[in-house]
């Protein structure tokens, strides 16, 4: 057997003629034999690898797996770039190749099979397959299924299958998604026994309409029970040997179709609709004399009416995420338990939609979406983003030679997954420019499945898509699209803009969740509330793609682009998710959950307003509890009884009398009374336990300013002032008998990814309102400006120090080398009866012209405290910032110091908690004094050390526990791939004063 022919690697056709037509992925009782497991494997660095019979170089490799995650070659990460020359349709000669082989015997259950099919669910990127030395065929389309009829090639007893997989092929030009390049057989390989009377394919549509006289929508009635209506079952495709029985037992449906001409729509009364919130499924079977196929029907009707995208007659708002298939050890190899846990985590954070970026996922993911409840935009396996670097010259999207490949990918996407109720929209792909082949894909989809709309973001002028979709438009442009003041639309003339504004709009990507962030989620959500044409969107993205790696000494870390010595790569841009590689939710995910909560709670005067913003679920599954706290200590609790609030309705309930009485009663100096209302699950669900918090609000109902600390009658005792000692320079040297150092004014923070990058215009040098949100397109990143001004290398010159009877005054001039700008700082220490009061005033001088990352002081505490826990009264439990604060609330919290900072895969600013009242760590207590409360950060590393590290393992051994007490910090924004920090969240140089008490 020869296996060296590689002409098909350059072919724009998607596969051999022997590859079977695509069909649905079905649950069937027909026999199947998995070929997953250990295969013989040999890796070669070039396409023209040795013959399979060559005995050298063989080992083993599990299937499914990516060979680069098992020591053969290395992963490669690019976002836009092709890791090979842009020379379509030619792949490079340096083309890593994996040879697979294994033997198998057909089980006795295959004895009656009329045909045997060999199915590959995912192979990257090109493969050829042989059975018993005979070439079966070849295929491309890495995330798409391929089937071959191998009946005539099988023999009694032992059989051998051989597969040659090439990492690169012509098809690689169509697979330039923002992710790791991970070759190999990474999804299941299965032999399928097809009976003599098979059901080879089926397409079941289950529509829903309200019953006349009931609610004209899928909304729940006041009882909390879902509305019922008329279900209409149609079967536009049934590729089977008749007679066929179709049954839905719970609906009393049982019909026999003797021929294809007998297949007719079925109407059923009393049907509960399917939605992402109430994912009601009905078990159905389709049976022939040789096979029974099981389906789960969800009755729902998708439609566009004017500029509204509707399911079951009601507007859908997508609070979604872009979901790649990624795992730090398995790559894109599917694990159902992990996928279920991941999707349950989404549900617990109010995620209601998934865009399958940028390819169809493992088919079981869609089963889970049907079951758990998600609106799904299913995307084709297509992206040609790298052609951007050659001004889209040669882009396959507009080249007729590639039309077959484009249509093939779309057909295989739709046919495999057409039976899922969760899928409400088809997407042609991602970032592939525009052209005739995309238009052809759209035309095919509309003919095949007229109900589901067609999405593709790159159709900027709306020539062949049903919804208007954009990535990272500014707030001003988004408002314009919604119906606000008109601004230009990307690449649209007046007529084209009018056409796009007449359609439903979605953000297919927005608020880029890279590192610490994103900011500004609330501002986008406010526009969705205001303009019904806007239908929400999908955060980029759900999960960081870090791959588990180890340093030479065995220290584990999560690798990103460049860590595998790629020739070209895009760095840590692959670490841009709401969840870290180790499954840890980020504070950004908590912020998202708070902003998009489907129940909105607000307190006004003597009433609580409960707004149900669900699409179709009532509040019958929720309970509403309230708590009154005094300085973070619970004083009273209870239940609110708003009744069952139907979807899209609201109700008011009175504020409890205990709360009103406490608010009207005496409040001691320094006391705060907070009224919290929480909507939580009243019972367990498939994705959360009873008591899981869905939404919350917090209202300050009474407070009284604390009295200023009174000066102590005691004074200096040598270098000691109370429980502290000071150097001759006026620096703190010990506190409560332990060595400390400070205070040191700090303007620097370790840059976040959003600080470092500048994908869109800057808002520091151009008002977004005046520029329609564009900002200054030439503005460098905030971090580069901060670094240019030396904020990471400030020097401190003592101007003067003088003692007073009960303290000292230290004046310091702070600036950077080669800079005429700086800050005049005055630290005023006063011994009071409650402890040491530190009043700090910072007055900028010179020409600044830039924002500051922070303004605060740093006090160095003993390194031994790194292993302690901290307790604080203030905002929490997670970090928060000026434009990412909706998940924070005021209370008493405790956590180990080691957990106060997020372990981002690229170290950066983390751990800031504003509005501190008091903090205790070890023997030390720090409290805010006065109207301006400080924020605090406790970290084992200085901001400078964090900023210099590319990975957590590069951080040095801790020499102290650094306490930052900030008067303010700059916002986060989303400029890594989105908006700069809005003006109202920017921190500009200004005279600043703040006070803390060390007790």
């Amino acid at each position: 057997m020869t296996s060296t022919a590689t002409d098909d690697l350059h072919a724009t056709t998607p596969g051999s003629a022997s590859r079977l037509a695509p069909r649905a992925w079905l649950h069937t009782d027909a026999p199947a034999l998995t070929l997953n497991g250990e295969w013989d494997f040999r890796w070669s660095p070039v396409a023209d690898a040795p013959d399979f019979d060559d005995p050298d170089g063989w080992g083993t490799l599990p299937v499914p797996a990516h060979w680069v995650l098992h020591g053969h070659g290395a992963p490669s990460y690019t976002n836009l770039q092709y890791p090979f020359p842009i020379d379509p349709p030619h792949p490079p000669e340096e083309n890593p190749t994996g040879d697979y082989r294994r033997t198998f015997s057909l089980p006795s259950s295959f004895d009656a099979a009329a045909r045997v099919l060999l199915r590959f669910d995912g192979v990257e990127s090109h493969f050829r397959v042989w059975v018993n030395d005979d070439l079966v065929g070849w295929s491309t389309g890495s995330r798409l299924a391929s089937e071959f009829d191998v009946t005539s090639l099988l023999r009694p007893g032992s059989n051998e299958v051989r597969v040659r997989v090439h990492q690169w092929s012509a098809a690689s030009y169509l697979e330039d998604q923002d992710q790791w390049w991970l070759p190999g057989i990474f999804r299941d390989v299965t032999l399928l026994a097809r009976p003599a009377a098979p059901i080879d394919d089926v397409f079941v549509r289950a529509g829903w309409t309200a019953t006349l006289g009931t609610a004209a929508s899928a909304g729940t009635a006041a009882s909390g029970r879902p509305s019922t209506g008329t279900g209409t079952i149609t079967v536009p495709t049934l590729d089977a040997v008749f007679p066929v029985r179709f049954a839905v037992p719970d609906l009393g449906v049982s019909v026999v179709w003797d021929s294809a001409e007998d297949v007719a729509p079925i109407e059923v009364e009393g049907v509960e609709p399917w939605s992402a919130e109430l994912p009601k499924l009905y078990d159905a079977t389709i049976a022939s004399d040789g096979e029974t196929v099981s389906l789960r029907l969800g009755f729902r009707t998708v439609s566009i009416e004017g500029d509204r995208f509707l399911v079951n007659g009601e507007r859908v708002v997508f609070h979604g995420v872009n979901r790649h298939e990624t795992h730090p050890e398995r790559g894109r190899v599917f694990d159902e338990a992990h996928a279920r846990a991941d999707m349950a985590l989404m549900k617990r954070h109010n995620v209601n939609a998934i865009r399958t970026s940028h390819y169809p996922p493992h088919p079981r993911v869609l089963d889970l979406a049907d079951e758990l409840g998600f609106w799904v935009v299913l995307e084709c396996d297509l992206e040609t983003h790298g052609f951007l670097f050659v001004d889209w010259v040669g882009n396959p999207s507009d080249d007729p030679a590639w039309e077959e490949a484009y249509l093939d990918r779309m057909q295989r996407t739709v046919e495999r997954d057409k039976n899922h109720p969760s899928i409400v929209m088809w997407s042609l792909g991602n970032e592939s420019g525009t052209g005739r082949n995309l238009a052809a894909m759209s035309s095919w989809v509309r003919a095949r499945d007229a109900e589901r709309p067609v999405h593709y973001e790159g159709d900027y002028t709306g020539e062949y898509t049903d919804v208007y979709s954009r990535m990272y438009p500014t707030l001003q442009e988004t408002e314009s699209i919604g119906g606000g003041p008109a601004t230009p639309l990307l690449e649209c003339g007046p007529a084209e803009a009018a056409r796009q504004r007449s359609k439903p709009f979605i953000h297919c990507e927005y608020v880029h969740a890279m590192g610490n962030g994103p900011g500004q989620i609330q501002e986008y959500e406010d526009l969705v509330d205001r303009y019904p044409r806007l239908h929400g969107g999908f955060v980029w993205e759900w999960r960081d793609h870090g791959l588990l790696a180890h340093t030479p000494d065995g220290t584990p870390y999560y690798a990103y682009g460049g860590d595998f010595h790629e020739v070209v790569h895009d760095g840590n841009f692959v670490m841009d998710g709401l969840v870290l590689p180790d499954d840890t939710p980020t504070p950004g995910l908590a912020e998202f959950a708070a902003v998009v909560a489907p129940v909105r709670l607000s307190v006004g005067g003597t009433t609580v307003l409960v707004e149900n913003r669900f699409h179709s679920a009532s509040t019958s599954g929720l309970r509403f509890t309230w708590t009154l706290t005094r300085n973070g200590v619970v004083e009273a609790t209870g239940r609110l009884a708003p009744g069952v609030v139907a979807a899209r309705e609201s109700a008011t309930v009175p504020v409890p009398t205990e709360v009103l009485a406490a608010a009207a009663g005496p409040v001691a100096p320094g006391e705060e009374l907070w009224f919290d209302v929480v909507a939580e699950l009243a019972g367990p669900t498939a994705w959360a336990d009873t008591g899981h918090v869905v939404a919350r609000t917090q209202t300050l109902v009474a407070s009284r300013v604390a009295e200023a600390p009174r000066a102590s009658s005691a004074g200096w005792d040598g270098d000691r002032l109370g429980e502290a000692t000071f150097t001759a320079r006026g620096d703190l040297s010990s506190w409560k008998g332990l060595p400390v150092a400070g205070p040191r004014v700090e303007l620097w923070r370790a840059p976040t990814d959003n600080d470092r990058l500048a994908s869109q215009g800057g808002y520091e040098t151009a008002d977004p309102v005046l520029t329609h949100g564009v900002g200054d397109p030439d503005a460098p990143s905030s971090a580069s400006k901060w670094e240019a001004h030396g904020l990471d290398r400030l020097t401190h010159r003592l101007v003067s120090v003088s003692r007073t009877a009960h303290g000292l005054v230290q004046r310091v001039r702070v600036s950077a080398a080669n800079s005429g700008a700086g800050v005049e700082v005055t630290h005023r220490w006063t011994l009071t009866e409650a402890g040491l009061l530190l009043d700090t005033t910072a007055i900028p001088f010179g020409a600044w012209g830039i924002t500051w990352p922070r303004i605060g002081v740093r006090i160095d505490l003993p390194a031994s405290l790194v292993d302690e826990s901290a307790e604080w009264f203030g905002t929490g439990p997670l970090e928060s910032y000026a434009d990412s604060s909706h998940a924070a609330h005021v209370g008493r919290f405790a956590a180990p110091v080691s957990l106060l900072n997020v372990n981002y895969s690229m170290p950066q600013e983390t751990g800031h908690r504003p509005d501190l009242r008091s903090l205790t760590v070890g023997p030390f207590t720090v409290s805010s004094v006065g109207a301006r409360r400080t924020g605090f950060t406790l970290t084992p590393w200085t901001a400078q050390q964090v900023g210099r590290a590319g990975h957590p393992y590069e951080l040095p051994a801790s020499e102290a526990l650094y306490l930052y007490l900030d008067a303010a910090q700059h916002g986060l924004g989303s400029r890594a791939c989105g908006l700069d920090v809005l003006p109202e969240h920017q921190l500009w140089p200004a005279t600043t004063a703040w006070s803390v008490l060390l007790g």
Side-chain angles (χ1 to χ4, degrees):
M1 180 195 74
T2 180
S3 58
T4 57
T6 58
D7 289 347
D8 42 284
L9 290 178
H10 304 261
T12 58
T13 52
S16 62
S18 58
R19 199 185 61 184
L20 300 178
R23 64 192 184 102
W25 194 85
L26 298 171
H27 296 276
T28 172
D29 66 353
L33 175 66
T34 179
L35 297 184
N36 292 353
E38 288 293 318
W39 288 50
D40 293 336
F41 179 79
R42 179 184 61 197
W43 182 81
S44 302
V46 294
D48 195 10
D51 190 88
F52 274 91
D53 295 324
D54 189 316
D56 294 334
W58 289 93
T60 62
L61 186 77
V63 170
H66 303 283
W67 69 60
V68 291
L69 300 185
H70 289 262
H72 306 283
S76 171
Y77 166 62
T78 61
N79 172 22
L80 284 69
Q81 304 175 82
Y82 285 109
F84 46 80
I86 304 174
D87 181 27
H90 307 294
E93 290 185 6
E94 297 82 4
N95 191 350
T97 298
D99 288 334
Y100 298 76
R101 69 185 182 194
R102 66 157 293 168
T103 59
F104 63 90
S105 295
L106 293 179
S108 60
S109 58
F110 275 54
D111 291 350
R115 295 191 303 156
V116 176
L117 309 185
L118 178 58
R119 181 183 181 97
F120 294 84
D121 281 307
V123 183
E124 183 175 332
S125 72
H126 174 290
F127 71 97
R128 276 183 245 107
V129 58
W130 296 260
V131 170
N132 295 328
D133 290 345
D134 289 314
L135 179 64
V136 176
W138 63 273
S139 185
T140 62
S142 295
R143 271 68 66 176
L144 302 167
S146 301
E147 288 186 337
F148 302 91
D149 189 331
V150 296
T151 312
S152 63
L153 305 180
L154 297 173
R155 60 196 180 200
S158 179
N159 293 267
E160 184 183 59
V161 59
R162 297 177 174 183
V163 184
R164 173 159 286 184
V165 180
H166 301 283
Q167 178 162 3
W168 311 121
S169 66
S172 299
Y173 288 99
L174 308 185
E175 296 178 359
D176 190 32
Q177 291 96 332
D178 178 7
Q179 62 180 353
W180 294 97
W181 299 89
L182 299 174
I185 304 175
F186 69 94
R187 287 187 185 157
D188 303 319
V189 181
T190 313
L191 279 169
L192 306 172
R194 306 303 298 138
I199 298 170
D200 284 325
D201 196 13
V202 64
F203 183 8
V204 178
R205 289 196 181 108
W208 187 88
T209 55
T211 301
L212 186 64
T214 68
S217 74
T220 51
S223 66
R225 293 184 57 80
S227 301
T228 59
T230 302
T232 303
I233 304 169
T234 57
V235 187
T237 298
L238 181 52
D239 182 2
V241 173
F242 291 84
V244 169
R245 178 180 296 277
F246 178 71
V248 189
D250 286 352
L251 296 176
V253 173
S254 181
V255 297
V256 176
W257 295 316
D258 291 319
S259 67
E261 290 72 25
D262 293 337
V263 179
I266 302 169
E267 288 198 357
V268 188
E269 299 299 328
V271 174
E272 294 181 21
W274 184 97
S275 73
E277 299 150 10
L278 300 169
K280 174 64 177 178
L281 294 172
Y282 291 89
D283 290 326
T285 58
I286 299 178
S288 67
D289 290 341
E291 179 178 19
T292 298
V293 167
S294 301
L295 299 170
R296 306 198 77 189
L297 305 184
F299 289 83
R300 54 96 190 108
T301 297
V302 179
S303 61
I304 291 178
E305 296 182 15
D307 60 1
R308 305 293 193 274
F309 176 83
L310 310 175
V311 173
N312 296 334
E314 295 296 338
R315 169 182 176 243
V316 171
V317 175
F318 297 106
H319 291 137
V321 294
N322 283 274
R323 179 190 181 274
H324 268 290
E325 296 202 299
T326 180
H327 185 272
E329 296 177 81
R330 296 190 303 273
R332 284 187 282 279
V333 174
F334 180 71
D335 177 84
E336 183 161 338
H338 187 262
R340 180 181 288 275
D342 222 29
M343 294 167 76
L345 184 65
M346 292 181 189
K347 295 286 286 189
R348 291 197 296 274
H349 286 86
N350 296 328
V351 174
N352 70 2
I354 295 170
R355 177 182 178 222
T356 67
S357 55
H358 299 291
Y359 43 83
H362 190 283
R364 280 292 292 155
V365 169
L366 299 169
D367 288 341
L368 294 174
D370 295 342
E371 174 193 332
L372 295 173
F374 291 94
W375 311 115
V376 173
V377 176
L378 191 77
E379 196 144 87
C380 184
D381 187 8
L382 175 66
E383 182 166 335
T384 67
H385 206 171
F387 282 90
L388 174 72
F389 294 103
V390 293
D391 294 326
W392 297 102
V393 173
N395 180 23
S397 295
D398 201 39
D399 183 345
W402 292 85
E403 180 178 8
E404 181 186 356
Y406 274 62
L407 287 173
D408 173 77
R409 285 173 181 257
M410 198 69 228
Q411 290 162 3
R412 289 158 74 190
T413 296
V414 171
E415 297 297 355
R416 193 196 75 167
D417 298 327
K418 58 202 171 196
N419 290 307
H420 290 282
S422 57
I423 299 172
V424 294
M425 204 178 299
W426 299 113
S427 179
L428 305 180
N430 186 67
E431 293 176 323
S432 297
T434 190
R436 70 193 75 187
N437 295 334
L438 288 156
M441 294 167 75
S442 177
S443 178
W444 181 88
V445 173
R446 286 167 167 161
R448 182 65 176 116
D449 183 12
E451 182 192 32
R452 294 180 176 108
V454 174
H455 166 275
Y456 175 65
E457 180 266 346
D459 180 25
Y460 295 131
T461 60
E463 295 180 15
Y464 48 84
T465 46
D466 300 312
V467 298
Y468 186 25
S469 174
R470 287 283 303 284
M471 296 179 183
Y472 314 105
T474 67
L475 292 166
Q476 288 74 16
E477 189 179 2
T478 300
E479 184 170 15
S480 169
I481 294 166
T487 69
L489 299 187
L490 182 65
E491 296 192 12
C492 285
E496 294 162 332
R499 174 168 62 194
Q500 292 294 59
R501 286 191 176 95
S502 71
K503 299 177 181 179
F505 176 80
I506 64 171
H507 287 105
C508 65
E509 295 179 20
Y510 80 126
V511 292
H512 190 257
M514 186 176 182
N516 190 343
Q520 306 152 344
I521 303 173
Q522 183 66 60
E523 285 80 358
Y524 280 104
E525 187 69 7
D526 289 342
L527 293 176
V528 173
D529 287 348
R530 193 178 311 153
Y531 298 105
R533 181 181 299 153
L534 307 180
H535 289 72
F538 299 81
V539 174
W540 187 267
E541 64 176 301
W542 172 244
R543 175 182 285 276
D544 283 0
H545 296 223
L547 295 178
L548 183 64
H550 296 82
T551 64
D553 68 0
T555 302
Y557 69 99
Y558 292 106
Y560 48 73
D563 286 333
F564 298 99
H565 310 292
E566 302 100 308
V567 175
V568 296
H569 63 85
D570 287 300
N572 71 316
F573 208 70
V574 77
M575 309 299 239
D576 51 8
L578 292 168
V579 177
L580 300 180
D582 64 358
D583 300 335
T584 301
T586 67
L589 181 56
E591 178 74 1
F592 179 80
V595 169
V596 307
V599 175
R600 193 164 295 175
L601 305 166
S602 56
V603 178
T606 61
T607 60
V608 178
L609 176 64
V610 178
E611 297 178 81
N612 182 350
R613 305 179 77 84
F614 279 117
H615 171 272
S616 47
S618 76
T619 61
S620 62
L622 303 176
R623 65 190 182 200
F624 297 85
T625 63
W626 63 268
T627 304
L628 177 68
T629 59
R630 188 181 299 269
N631 277 13
V633 178
V634 175
E635 197 164 87
T637 62
R639 293 277 183 91
L640 296 180
V644 175
V645 184
R648 304 173 305 284
E649 300 293 336
S650 61
T652 57
V653 290
V655 172
T657 57
E658 298 96 322
V659 176
L660 296 176
V667 180
E671 283 190 340
E672 303 172 37
L673 273 71
W674 289 94
F675 174 46
D676 289 65
V677 180
V678 171
E680 60 187 25
L681 292 181
T685 68
W687 43 269
D689 292 329
T690 302
H692 167 73
V693 173
V694 174
R696 73 182 307 144
T697 190
Q698 186 179 63
T699 305
L700 181 66
V701 295
S703 65
R704 185 173 171 185
V705 177
E707 297 175 351
R710 290 180 292 186
S712 171
S713 59
W716 287 93
D717 179 10
D719 63 354
R720 179 173 296 279
L721 186 65
E723 295 187 273
T725 60
F726 289 81
T727 68
R729 290 176 44 87
D731 295 330
L732 191 63
S733 59
S734 74
W735 181 15
K736 294 191 174 181
L738 296 175
V740 298
R744 175 186 176 91
V745 160
E746 186 65 85
L747 302 179
W748 178 251
R749 73 181 184 193
T752 66
D753 293 305
N754 291 312
D755 293 336
R756 289 190 183 278
L757 299 177
S759 72
Q760 294 196 22
Y763 290 166
E764 296 174 14
T765 52
D767 189 322
V769 174
L770 299 179
T771 62
H772 303 302
V774 174
D776 179 356
D778 298 320
S781 70
S782 293
S784 65
K785 290 187 287 187
W786 297 339
E787 288 167 345
H789 280 72
L791 300 191
D792 58 335
R793 50 181 175 83
L794 297 176
T795 62
H796 295 67
R797 178 172 65 83
L798 179 65
V799 175
S800 66
V801 60
S802 59
R803 287 192 178 189
T804 64
H806 305 288
L808 64 80
V809 178
Q810 182 193 51
R811 290 183 169 86
V812 181
R813 190 175 176 90
V814 180
S815 58
N818 198 37
S819 174
V823 183
E824 295 280 6
V825 178
T826 301
H827 298 301
R828 187 178 300 273
W829 290 94
T830 305
L831 181 61
T832 73
E833 294 177 352
L836 272 174
L837 178 66
L838 171 61
D839 297 306
T840 301
T841 302
I843 303 173
F845 64 84
W848 276 100
I850 63 166
T851 57
W852 284 345
R854 73 178 347 139
I855 175 66
V857 295
R858 190 188 91 197
I859 298 176
D860 303 353
L861 306 178
S864 59
L865 297 181
V866 169
D867 299 322
E868 297 289 328
S869 289
E871 298 179 359
W872 73 99
F873 176 36
T875 57
L878 304 175
E879 65 189 30
S880 60
Y881 297 80
D883 53 358
S884 181
S885 60
H886 295 83
H889 59 279
V890 175
R892 291 192 177 272
F893 305 98
V897 168
S898 61
L899 298 182
L900 290 177
N901 301 286
V902 179
N903 192 30
Y904 295 112
S905 297
M906 173 174 276
Q908 56 195 277
E909 160 63 32
T910 177
H912 175 65
R913 289 166 173 82
D915 292 327
L916 176 67
R917 279 72 169 170
S918 64
L919 165 71
T920 299
V921 56
F924 305 132
T925 298
V926 180
S927 303
S928 293
V929 175
R932 183 169 202 154
R933 296 191 180 98
T934 67
F936 84 93
T937 304
L938 277 171
T939 168
W941 302 283
T942 68
Q944 288 77 6
Q945 290 172 328
V946 174
R948 288 191 292 266
H951 301 83
Y953 72 81
E954 297 175 64
L955 292 165
S958 178
E959 297 178 350
L961 176 62
Y962 301 99
L963 171 62
Y964 288 87
L965 297 166
D966 291 326
Q969 274 215 33
H970 193 63
L972 298 175
S974 188
R975 204 179 176 201
C977 194
L979 305 187
D980 196 5
V981 177
L982 298 176
E984 57 266 37
H985 302 309
Q986 295 170 2
L987 176 61
W988 284 92
T991 297
T992 308
W994 66 104
S995 302
V996 294
L997 182 70
L998 279 59

